[in-house]
Amino acid sequence: MQPWPGTSYPLGATYDGAGTNFALFSEVAEGVELCLFDEAGRETRIALPERDGFVWHGYLPGIVPGQRYGYRVRGPLDPAHGQRCNSHKLLIDPYAKALDGTLGTTYAWDEALFGYHFDDADETNHDDSAPHVPKSVVINPFFDWHDDRPPRTPYHDTVIYEAHVKGLTYLHPEIPEEMRGTYSGVAHPAVIAHLQRLGITAIELMPVHQFVHDDALVQRELRNYWGYNTIAFFAPHFGYASVGITGSPAPGAHVQEFKAMVRDLHAAGIEVILDVVYNHTAEGNHQGPTLSMRGIDNQAYYRLVDDEPQYYMDYTGTGNSLNVRQPHTLQLIMDSLRYWVTEMHVDGFRFDLAATLAREFYDVDRLSTFFDLVQQDPVISQVKLIAEPWDVGPGGYQVGNFPPGWTEWNGKYRDTVRDFWRGTPGTLGEFGSRLTGSSDLYQDDGRRPYASVNFVTAHDGFTLNDLVSYNEKHNEANGEGGQDGADDNNSWNHGVEGPTDDAAILELRQRQRRNFLATLFLSQGVPMLLHGDEIGRTQYGNNNGYCQDSEISWMEWSPEKADSELMDYTSKVSELRASHPVFRRRRFFNGRPIRPAAGAPDAEVQRDIAWFTSSGEEMTDQDWESGEAAVLTVFLNGDGILESDPRGQRVVDDTFLVIFNAHHEDVEVTLPGAGFPHRWATVLDTTTGEVVVGTTRTAQTWNTPPLPDSLDDQVGGDVLTVTSRSMLLLQRTDVTEQG
């Protein structure tokens, strides 16, 4: 074949209906060969004829979607100086839109993948790696999106469901067997119905960029289940295709399947957020394989140790870190993000170890070039951007320090809420801050309460069931001698490690799960629910299931193992949140006086929040600082929201009292009296699991359906007995139509 010159933009393989343009960046390359593979694996090499601005390019008429390809780069091979070109290694296109095959399953980790010999690391390995490398695939960009529209759910109305494509769907009995564990399975009507019942507005999928399985895991007959080992930032993972990993008759078809999943979820009003890994790649450290960027332009793509460039800077604990100081590497990240929004229609991103992206030099810089580019980009800046605000490097814990426009996984919320409910002394003050949106972290830079993505559990750590069932991690199945996974989990087994038949312990664990869920959904900010927590999923004490593609990690849907009562409770608490804007405010509380001074404007008439001790008295500084305090009553004034909806109408809601008792004994709680002479009805009780949804007030009307007879009205000043380690939500009922 004789290639035409083609163009240097866009990078990657671009099919135009008549042929395909290929473009690859490499500043150090002395020559680049495009390698085409037929169905039998026979290779044809074609030298790319042009180079503009360090981009090698060429156009081949007649090359159509489904064509497998790769690159060989001829250039300097001097590892001691950070140069690792080796034309004997077939390289994955960093801009590949699809791959065919997965390392560690379809392909083994052969010695040919490495730039050195195992028995002599100083000897260059000239073995051809092509038989062992997944092939890049030219895709057909055309897809019938019908009338797809992004839901664009406002942050304050958002409820996130963190899920794994395979773990969520692999054991679901209503999904056809060939669709389980796939993109099609995620969009199956049974899964969508489950998400809608929970009030989920966005599903956050753990990594779906093409990833590989580490050699060390493959040797232990394990897999990189979580997927935080990316090798192609544009390609959806081939292993989640409904055709399976044994080979597809139409390479790249899973791209269409991914798009169909997004389209179907959008039709159900559910956004798709991707957990993305732009901080490192699967090529690892200096002992890792040569799969892609290492052999294309090692110095451009990776952060190297300044005075020892044969080694890699590792802020991620995975062997390398991307070089976000390099313009073409930044372009790669930005082009990838833009592609997933414009071509794949996703609605946002959760950035794994996002602090690494802010390391321009050594320290984390919140004004780094990456954040400047995101802020200025008209596409990326308009979707949901969620940071995991830490990495493993020095100064890497950056909760609260990301720029306006970003939201963050709030690790402080997780730790504080866990400590409060297990009775850790001295947590009351911080618990109050986390409950109300963490203004200490986000208010000063102009962000709103929804900058805090609140979570009690996530993929990394215990499930909710295990959080209340284990004091220690039990990671024996991982084969690492218990060295992996966090040792400090802020968990409590309530008297017995793991499963038990003790009825009292089981009842307390169930109550604690309800406490965590109610706290999560009634806190200001964006709640994130870990998949399976709503039905009691367990990992049997394993707090690091990263390598467990097994029953340890898969979601069990069978009636014998799924907790239907907990599911019903969770859905009702979520519905309660959705029904009342007082639990999903767009602004922080301000604590204005209950009765204004003479001549005060109407906006200052009532305080939006007030805090009380168990005796019904307003909290003092001494009360907040009391190390033993574990009981708190919070007054949430529905008339004090002090904000308007998008049409300018003032938001008015019901008024609530939330009573928390994290003490190990029942406590007599006096309801607020002076200044709060209201009548209240219990609408949530974590002791019984009862939740009442339906009493709704708007700016125009006040509608009160009959409350169950079993819930007694309470009048301000009355005394309630609040069960140990429980939570009550009381709703004001003495409001007339005029307010």
Side-chain angles (χ1 to χ4, degrees):
M1 297 182 184
Q2 292 298 321
W4 299 355
T7 61
S8 61
Y9 187 86
L11 291 163
T14 306
Y15 173 67
D16 63 5
T20 301
N21 188 81
F22 295 89
L24 178 75
F25 161 77
S26 177
E27 185 172 351
V28 300
E30 298 166 0
V32 174
E33 288 182 311
L34 171 67
C35 307
L36 304 179
F37 295 85
D38 63 17
E39 293 185 4
R42 290 185 293 263
E43 178 181 354
T44 300
R45 301 183 187 182
I46 303 168
L48 292 183
E50 299 289 333
R51 184 180 71 162
D52 293 316
F54 304 118
V55 176
W56 299 76
H57 56 89
Y59 179 92
L60 289 176
I63 297 299
V64 299
Q67 174 65 58
R68 300 174 177 89
Y69 73 98
Y71 291 109
R72 296 182 187 272
V73 173
R74 179 169 49 85
L77 179 57
D78 185 1
H81 293 88
Q83 298 172 331
R84 296 180 179 270
C85 295
N86 186 336
S87 60
H88 298 278
K89 309 306 173 187
L90 184 74
L91 304 173
I92 296 168
D93 183 359
Y95 278 75
K97 307 302 191 299
L99 294 188
D100 188 30
T102 303
L103 275 166
T105 51
T106 304
Y107 295 88
W109 284 82
D110 192 274
E111 185 176 2
L113 294 168
F114 297 80
Y116 60 91
H117 288 284
F118 293 163
D119 58 359
D120 187 354
D122 294 328
E123 181 182 354
T124 301
N125 187 336
H126 296 296
D127 296 340
D128 184 9
S129 67
H132 313 285
V133 177
K135 308 305 184 288
S136 306
V137 179
V138 178
I139 70 161
N140 186 346
F142 307 109
F143 178 76
D144 185 0
W145 283 101
H146 299 162
D147 296 322
D148 180 63
R149 294 177 180 272
R152 297 193 182 280
T153 306
Y155 259 125
H156 66 284
D157 291 332
T158 296
V159 179
I160 297 174
Y161 190 78
E162 190 196 23
H164 187 280
V165 170
K166 184 172 184 179
L168 175 65
T169 63
Y170 193 65
L171 297 180
H172 200 299
E174 296 182 43
I175 299 176
E177 188 172 350
E178 67 274 10
M179 294 172 58
R180 296 177 187 176
T182 72
Y183 302 119
S184 296
V186 173
H188 189 274
V191 174
I192 289 177
H194 182 80
L195 297 176
Q196 290 178 323
R197 184 183 173 194
L198 287 169
I200 300 301
T201 69
I203 185 169
E204 181 178 301
L205 295 176
M206 293 176 66
V208 298
H209 290 176
Q210 184 70 53
F211 60 86
V212 301
H213 300 281
D214 312 68
D215 186 42
L217 293 178
V218 173
Q219 291 183 22
R220 301 204 303 268
E221 299 184 352
L222 298 171
R223 294 289 182 266
N224 193 320
Y225 173 71
W226 283 354
Y228 292 96
N229 207 27
T230 304
I231 197 59
F233 295 131
F234 292 77
H237 185 60
F238 179 74
Y240 296 150
S242 59
V243 294
I245 62 174
T246 58
S248 167
H254 59 290
V255 177
Q256 306 290 315
E257 184 180 349
F258 181 93
K259 291 179 178 180
M261 175 194 72
V262 174
R263 182 187 61 197
D264 293 347
L265 288 168
H266 281 180
I270 299 171
E271 295 180 307
V272 178
I273 297 173
L274 301 186
D275 191 339
V276 290
V277 188
Y278 292 112
N279 50 70
H280 75 282
T281 77
E283 291 187 291
N285 61 18
H286 62 287
Q287 296 178 321
T290 299
L291 304 174
S292 181
M293 292 182 251
R294 169 173 284 145
I296 296 171
D297 195 331
N298 187 56
Q299 291 174 305
Y301 284 113
Y302 295 115
R303 292 284 300 271
L304 306 179
V305 178
D306 289 337
D307 54 351
E308 294 183 289
Q310 71 267 37
Y311 302 118
Y312 295 79
M313 296 296 294
D314 183 10
Y315 296 116
T316 64
T318 59
N320 64 53
S321 303
L322 278 187
N323 184 10
V324 292
R325 296 179 295 180
Q326 216 283 342
H328 283 90
T329 304
L330 271 175
Q331 180 187 356
L332 172 70
I333 297 173
M334 297 298 291
D335 285 350
S336 171
L337 291 169
R338 200 176 298 110
Y339 172 80
W340 285 97
V341 175
T342 60
E343 298 298 321
M344 308 295 268
H345 288 205
V346 305
D347 305 282
F349 306 94
R350 179 265 188 189
F351 292 81
D352 176 65
L353 301 180
T356 299
L357 297 172
R359 290 184 183 273
E360 289 211 340
F361 294 96
Y362 178 79
D363 293 329
V364 175
D365 180 4
R366 66 181 299 201
L367 300 179
S368 70
T369 304
F370 172 71
F371 294 125
D372 292 342
L373 290 175
V374 169
Q375 178 68 27
Q376 297 169 19
D377 191 280
V379 174
I380 304 171
S381 64
Q382 298 307 302
V383 301
K384 289 183 168 65
L385 303 171
I386 305 171
E388 181 185 33
W390 50 77
D391 64 17
V392 300
Y397 192 76
Q398 294 291 319
V399 173
N401 290 331
F402 276 69
W406 285 72
T407 60
E408 303 176 16
W409 270 27
N410 191 344
K412 293 187 176 181
Y413 178 95
R414 171 199 59 204
D415 296 342
T416 300
V417 170
R418 288 184 178 192
D419 279 343
F420 176 78
W421 281 116
R422 68 174 180 155
T424 302
T427 59
L428 192 63
E430 187 168 2
F431 178 75
S433 178
R434 304 297 155 244
L435 183 71
T436 53
S438 297
S439 60
D440 58 323
L441 300 176
Y442 305 114
Q443 189 170 24
D444 288 347
D445 57 9
R447 288 193 279 176
R448 300 290 182 90
Y450 48 73
S452 176
V453 175
N454 300 327
F455 64 103
V456 176
T457 57
H459 69 272
D460 189 0
F462 283 143
T463 65
L464 181 61
N465 180 82
D466 293 357
L467 181 67
V468 300
S469 303
Y470 295 91
N471 284 348
E472 309 292 338
K473 64 185 181 184
H474 296 270
N475 298 355
E476 294 79 9
N478 295 356
E480 300 182 31
Q483 298 302 306
D484 66 300
D487 293 317
D488 186 6
N489 296 282
N490 307 79
S491 62
W492 179 32
N493 65 17
H494 299 85
V496 173
E497 187 74 353
T500 180
D501 294 327
D502 189 306
I505 292 177
L506 290 174
E507 193 280 329
L508 179 54
R509 287 178 179 178
Q510 187 78 325
R511 189 159 75 242
Q512 288 282 54
R513 290 194 295 183
R514 292 193 287 258
N515 288 334
F516 282 122
L517 289 166
T519 304
L520 175 66
F521 278 96
L522 301 184
S523 295
Q524 304 299 323
V526 179
M528 184 183 79
L529 183 68
L530 173 63
H531 79 280
D533 277 354
E534 72 277 13
I535 59 174
R537 181 173 75 91
T538 178
Q539 292 185 169
Y540 310 98
N542 192 320
N543 74 346
N544 189 32
Y546 80 103
C547 59
Q548 292 298 329
D549 189 358
S550 67
E551 290 84 354
I552 290 176
S553 297
W554 301 334
M555 189 166 166
E556 177 58 73
W557 294 88
S558 66
E560 297 78 16
K561 295 186 178 181
D563 189 333
S564 60
E565 290 185 1
L566 188 62
M567 173 64 190
D568 185 60
Y569 171 84
T570 307
S571 63
K572 287 182 178 179
V573 174
S574 178
E575 185 181 357
L576 186 66
R577 176 186 185 272
S579 300
H580 295 287
V582 74
F583 300 121
R584 44 187 175 83
R585 293 168 53 96
R586 292 186 290 117
R587 290 179 173 82
F588 287 106
F589 292 101
N590 53 49
R592 289 191 174 105
I594 292 292
R595 291 184 173 80
D602 180 69
E604 295 185 357
V605 168
Q606 293 207 7
R607 185 164 40 175
D608 48 19
I609 190 170
W611 310 83
F612 299 90
T613 66
S614 59
S615 61
E617 303 294 328
E618 289 210 51
M619 294 279 289
T620 65
D621 290 343
Q622 184 176 0
D623 293 324
W624 284 114
E625 294 168 1
S626 173
E628 300 302 319
V631 181
L632 181 67
T633 298
V634 188
F635 172 83
L636 300 176
N637 186 354
D639 287 316
I641 296 179
L642 304 179
E643 59 189 40
S644 300
D645 65 17
R647 297 183 178 181
Q649 184 176 2
R650 185 183 176 208
V651 176
V652 180
D653 193 18
D654 304 306
T655 294
F656 292 89
L657 285 179
V658 194
I659 304 175
F660 300 91
N661 177 19
H663 195 54
H664 64 275
E665 294 180 343
D666 296 355
V667 173
E668 299 291 316
V669 174
T670 302
L671 299 184
F676 301 86
H678 305 310
R679 183 175 295 278
W680 308 92
T682 305
V683 293
L684 180 147
D685 185 346
T686 62
T687 300
T688 63
E690 190 166 14
V691 183
V692 178
V693 182
T695 304
T696 305
R697 183 187 181 197
T698 69
Q700 293 81 31
T701 62
W702 172 239
N703 174 33
T704 309
L707 293 171
D709 294 336
S710 60
L711 296 175
D712 296 329
D713 286 353
Q714 301 292 336
V715 180
D718 286 355
V719 177
L720 296 179
T721 299
V722 182
T723 305
S724 65
R725 306 194 193 281
S726 74
M727 177 177 167
L728 290 175
L729 179 67
L730 310 184
Q731 183 174 359
R732 182 182 174 188
T733 61
D734 61 331
V735 182
T736 66
E737 184 175 350
Q738 291 75 34

